[in-house]
Amino acid sequence: MRYAETGYNLEIDLSRGSIERVETDPKLTELHLGGLGTNTKILWDRVPPETEPFSPDNLLVFSTGLLCGTPAPGANRTIVTTYSPQTLLMGYSMMGGFWAPELKYAGYDKVIFRGKSPNLIYVWINNDKVEIRDASHLRGKGAGETADLIRQELKEPKAQVAAIGLAGENRVYMASVEQGRSSASRLGIGAVMGDKGIKAIAVRGTKDINLARPAEFIKLCNEVLQYIKAREQKPVPGVMPILAGLGSPAEMKLVDEEWHTQNFMWGNARERKRDYWNKQIEEKWKETQETVRTRLISCYNCPMKCGALISVPGISTYMMKCFSKLTYTMAAFSDLDFGFRIAQRATEYGVDGFSTPQVMAFAVELKEAGILTDADFAGCPSDSEGRFYWLLDRIVRREGIGDMLANGTYWAAQQIGKGAEAYAHNNIKKHEQLPLKLGMLNPVYFLMYSTGEKINITQIEGQFPQAPFPTMEEREDFVKDWIQVPDEKFKQYLLDWEMRGERSNPYYPTVDMSVDIVDWQEMMHYIDDALGVCAGLSAFPLKPPYHIHNYPAFISSATGIDMDEAGLKQVYKRNRTLLRAVNVRRGLRRADEKPPEDHWKKRFPELEAKLLDAYYKFKGWDHQGIPTKETLQELDLAYIAEDLEQRGIIKNE
Ligand code: SF4
């Protein structure tokens, strides 16, 4: 019997119209857990590195995490993996909500798509019955609208539906996959789904998931729930409110936006409005938010309620979570009311709420600079909000300049030329980043940002505070009950971290300490993404309920695999290195691992080089960030070493 996982994947060949239920190899679960880990392995094994993202040979994998569908709180992530049209590297975007647990209950760990459908289709997975159905009547429909229509058509109100909107159908690079209470937005996953001709995947499952040692597992789950309760009553003092608690940032509860509006950049990540926030705006925005926010909502089996149902009069209700509340508002130099209104249209179109506003502001800047012309903007309203709606419509339809903008700022700038590249200034690995520009370089953030391959906002976050606490008393107070640290040394790192002087940024945490901290932070992200646990309860916040000390017991009691901390760390290293190898084989090198030039006012080239050197060395990678043969062999990845050697990527010296 298989525990925690179902032991079966669905393999759907869209070119042939075939559907197979395929048993998986339990050995791979031991080596990689599930979710991102096994997705990466599938991409390595089955998609040659020369494959174009829009080739029929590219795979699109919708995966549950290993713990999804078990009673583990917050274990609800769907991990969607493919080669990204945006970065050309491996893209893995995640969504919460209810889809992954439903897939497990239907009896599958993953749905793997290959080929392309000649017509627009949707897939209906109803336990053992799986069908490819015509979706031509859904062409052009919004993502939420599509989900509603499919549920009606199937007469199955409990079906969980992941769908694309118009943006995905038109292969817009920032197209998302939307799913009622969450979305997989980054890296162009929705564009690949549209390219394959999949409008939606509807799932209904009513089977059970087996647990190896249920009593032990339930006890651990209860401990996590109790800890969440206790932590809620004890927000971390001295940090900004959205980091004080657990979950994804509590943006839908929060009305004080002083920090975001004054510290994040506006427009195309260009301008900071230092004195923006005042009492009047606070009251106005509070009223707006409380009028449209009808209900706070959670993902499957989680008490955190990070999302909200938003009902703006005159337009359909949608779900909003996290920082997308502000991205449209700030990109258009507008008001929160506008942000809530345009986000509804953008959600139905199915676009990434981080990249899209930046792309639109980029177009406005190019127009102001005379690089884009009146002819490019023919028919566009002159007011800022009108311009944004107009641009959004052009982008998702790929009409006029929208066709180039639909490829994101990096590719659009190359196509537009005439100096447009200078305006695409906020990219890492060809993808728009958080519109945050800072004064002083923080070495941990530098490494997380530069070397991360997830390319989303949480890639810089982790269980170590982002800034030092001003007083020793605060630091001592923080470390007192810091049970999550993998090693006691981290407490000393924090105790010694000063706001100014020798032991402050950029030279403290020191290079070696920074690498240690980054490794811890990355480790938690990689474990979460393999288990399907929301980072909001683990890798992302300070002092979360899941950590390196209790995860092994969760895995052992759920799966029956004998797992301890050392073993779990080894799985993390294997998964991290495997993902790096996939991207190295696609051409990723050191030169790609750099933050935007103007991300920090002051840069420290020598220190930055040392940080990268030390990070690579720590990982067992060479100067270019390529895993060495020895490292690969140690991690049971000798077959990768062989492949990289044959390709001349690892030199046989
Ligand atoms: S912490 Fe928030 S985002 Fe994460 S599972 Fe819970 S409700 Fe969803």
Side-chain angles (χ1 to χ4, degrees):
M1 187 184 286
R2 298 287 277 269
Y3 296 105
E5 59 184 352
T6 68
Y8 289 94
N9 291 341
L10 261 185
E11 295 265 0
I12 301 185
D13 188 321
L14 295 157
S15 302
R16 291 173 30 213
S18 64
I19 300 167
E20 278 174 280
R21 179 172 173 262
V22 178
E23 192 168 359
T24 59
D25 179 357
K27 180 81 191 138
L28 290 180
T29 312
E30 281 175 32
L31 286 170
H32 302 284
L33 300 176
L36 176 66
T38 37
N39 279 11
T40 314
K41 169 77 175 142
I42 288 169
L43 238 66
W44 173 273
D45 285 346
R46 292 175 48 183
V47 191
E50 310 73 36
T51 309
E52 298 289 338
F54 293 141
S55 156
D57 296 334
N58 190 11
L59 295 183
L60 177 66
V61 185
F62 280 73
S63 180
T64 64
L66 186 58
L67 295 184
C68 288
T70 71
N76 50 48
R77 258 44 197 170
T78 306
I79 301 99
V80 194
T81 303
T82 191
Y83 283 146
S84 159
Q86 183 71 58
T87 61
L88 304 177
L89 303 171
M90 180 175 140
Y92 59 104
S93 197
M94 318 214 169
M95 52 190 180
F98 285 64
W99 197 91
E102 197 73 26
L103 185 71
K104 276 268 184 85
Y105 300 145
Y108 313 99
D109 296 318
K110 297 182 199 290
V111 187
I112 304 171
F113 291 101
R114 62 179 182 269
K116 282 192 197 195
S117 166
N119 311 307
L120 195 64
I121 55 100
Y122 75 91
V123 176
W124 171 218
I125 303 167
N126 186 8
N127 289 320
D128 295 338
K129 194 169 173 219
V130 184
E131 296 169 66
I132 299 175
R133 298 174 70 125
D134 176 55
S136 50
H137 58 300
L138 300 170
R139 186 175 293 284
K141 300 280 187 222
E145 192 186 359
T146 297
D148 289 342
L149 288 168
I150 287 178
R151 276 191 285 261
Q152 282 167 24
E153 187 170 308
L154 298 172
K155 296 190 180 50
E156 183 45 88
K158 289 185 175 162
Q160 298 299 329
V161 183
I164 54 168
L166 193 54
E169 285 180 41
N170 288 332
R171 307 197 307 182
V172 171
Y173 287 7
M174 50 266 191
S176 57
V177 179
E178 299 287 330
Q179 186 246 132
R181 297 197 173 194
S182 195
S183 64
S185 300
R186 303 291 284 165
L187 293 151
I189 302 285
V192 176
M193 185 159 162
D195 179 64
K196 295 203 171 297
I198 312 164
K199 180 68 181 173
I201 313 166
V203 191
R204 177 74 182 126
T206 54
K207 299 183 188 181
D208 291 330
I209 299 291
N210 302 307
L211 292 170
R213 300 197 291 276
E216 195 181 321
F217 190 78
I218 298 292
K219 185 170 170 277
L220 291 164
C221 295
N222 286 335
E223 281 168 16
V224 159
L225 287 171
Q226 276 157 17
Y227 183 89
I228 291 173
K229 240 190 220 163
R231 246 316 251 105
E232 261 190 322
Q233 283 150 17
K234 206 177 160 212
V236 177
V239 298
M240 68 183 106
I242 56 160
L243 291 180
L246 297 171
S248 286
E251 274 294 309
M252 295 302 130
K253 292 172 205 156
L254 200 75
V255 287
D256 178 359
E257 289 298 354
E258 181 172 10
W259 190 82
H260 275 134
T261 54
Q262 298 196 167
N263 288 291
F264 277 37
M265 308 301 271
W266 294 61
N268 175 28
R270 280 281 181 197
E271 199 175 317
R272 181 170 289 141
K273 294 176 102 178
R274 277 286 186 213
D275 300 316
Y276 179 76
W277 197 249
N278 59 39
K279 204 76 215 138
Q280 210 185 347
I281 293 174
E282 182 165 352
E283 275 164 23
K284 192 171 164 216
W285 283 28
K286 182 171 187 277
E287 197 194 326
T288 301
Q289 182 163 318
E290 288 177 355
T291 309
V292 301
R293 191 192 63 199
T294 50
R295 193 153 66 90
L296 292 170
I297 52 172
S298 280
C299 305
Y300 177 81
N301 191 22
C302 180
M304 292 312 301
K305 294 197 181 124
C306 299
L309 287 180
I310 305 293
S311 288
V312 181
I315 50 182
S316 62
T317 298
Y318 68 104
M319 191 283 309
M320 177 178 270
K321 199 179 85 179
C322 201
F323 187 57
S324 51
K325 178 177 117 186
L326 296 180
T327 51
Y328 292 96
T329 294
M330 290 171 65
F333 292 93
S334 188
D335 204 15
L336 188 60
D337 170 60
F338 163 75
F340 279 123
R341 278 185 289 115
I342 196 168
Q344 186 272 348
R345 191 182 294 187
T347 305
E348 283 298 319
Y349 281 151
V351 285
D352 172 12
F354 270 77
S355 284
T356 313
Q358 266 185 65
V359 173
M360 297 193 286
F362 160 80
V364 171
E365 269 190 19
L366 293 184
K367 167 79 166 47
E368 281 162 5
I371 295 172
L372 289 176
T373 64
D374 286 346
D376 293 319
F377 277 73
C380 178
S382 57
D383 65 297
S384 174
E385 296 185 1
R387 256 188 331 214
F388 264 60
Y389 275 113
W390 185 88
L391 281 163
L392 179 60
D393 290 349
R394 297 287 138 336
I395 289 170
V396 299
R397 291 189 168 81
R398 283 191 171 274
E399 280 173 7
I401 50 163
D403 191 30
M404 288 189 279
L405 296 173
N407 297 338
T409 57
Y410 174 85
W411 297 106
Q414 313 249 315
Q415 288 172 282
I416 294 166
K418 296 187 264 181
E421 286 93 339
Y423 295 80
H425 64 106
N426 198 35
N427 295 321
I428 302 179
K429 300 184 174 108
K430 307 182 177 66
H431 206 2
E432 293 79 18
Q433 293 300 313
L434 195 63
L436 193 61
K437 306 277 174 176
L438 301 167
M440 178 51 75
L441 183 136
N442 170 328
V444 172
Y445 176 4
F446 168 85
L447 278 179
M448 292 294 283
Y449 218 39
S450 309
T451 62
E453 276 151 269
K454 196 172 188 176
I455 327 226
N456 72 358
I457 172 178
T458 55
Q459 76 174 346
I460 62 160
E461 320 275 359
Q463 296 186 5
F464 196 87
Q466 288 178 15
F469 291 98
T471 66
M472 186 51 82
E473 205 185 339
E474 284 169 283
R475 292 173 214 164
E476 282 169 351
D477 192 46
F478 185 86
V479 302
K480 234 175 12 210
D481 60 353
W482 204 7
I483 54 166
Q484 292 80 359
V485 285
D487 188 290
E488 288 297 300
K489 68 185 174 190
F490 289 100
K491 294 185 178 173
Q492 200 59 46
Y493 293 175
L494 188 73
L495 287 169
D496 291 344
W497 197 10
E498 302 286 353
M499 299 190 73
R500 273 167 214 88
E502 269 176 30
R503 287 205 306 263
S504 72
N505 290 342
Y507 295 108
Y508 193 96
T510 64
V511 169
D512 289 340
M513 289 174 192
S514 299
V515 169
D516 280 345
I517 296 167
V518 168
D519 191 60
W520 169 21
Q521 301 198 141
E522 268 196 327
M523 171 169 76
M524 298 319 299
H525 279 291
Y526 274 76
I527 297 171
D528 293 348
D529 297 348
L531 299 180
V533 172
C534 173
L537 294 176
S538 174
F540 182 81
L542 300 169
K543 300 187 176 175
Y546 291 108
H547 43 80
I548 190 62
H549 308 303
N550 63 3
Y551 257 155
F554 268 95
I555 296 167
S556 299
S557 56
T559 63
I561 294 170
D562 198 10
M563 183 68 75
D564 57 13
E565 274 184 40
L568 186 54
K569 286 178 181 168
Q570 189 75 349
V571 173
Y572 145 64
K573 280 187 201 159
R574 183 177 302 120
N575 285 349
R576 174 71 186 104
T577 305
L578 175 60
L579 201 151
R580 171 55 55 135
V582 168
N583 281 335
V584 155
R585 204 167 63 156
R586 284 192 63 95
L588 176 73
R589 295 292 182 273
R590 185 187 181 105
D592 301 299
E593 309 232 82
K594 53 173 193 239
E597 290 300 328
D598 59 351
H599 195 79
W600 286 280
K601 223 179 240 155
K602 207 161 166 219
R603 295 292 288 267
F604 298 83
E606 258 180 55
L607 172 64
E608 292 174 23
K610 272 190 197 155
L611 282 163
L612 262 189
D613 285 341
Y615 173 86
Y616 289 161
K617 192 167 170 215
F618 185 95
K619 298 278 178 205
W621 303 348
D622 72 7
H623 182 73
Q624 282 297 328
I626 300 169
T628 64
K629 190 173 171 177
E630 295 68 34
T631 301
L632 290 162
Q633 283 166 343
E634 266 169 40
L635 295 171
D636 305 296
L637 300 172
Y639 61 96
I640 291 184
E642 254 170 60
D643 183 286
L644 295 181
E645 244 176 16
Q646 273 168 17
R647 290 172 191 277
I649 295 172
I650 290 181
K651 304 275 181 273
N652 196 0
E653 284 153 3

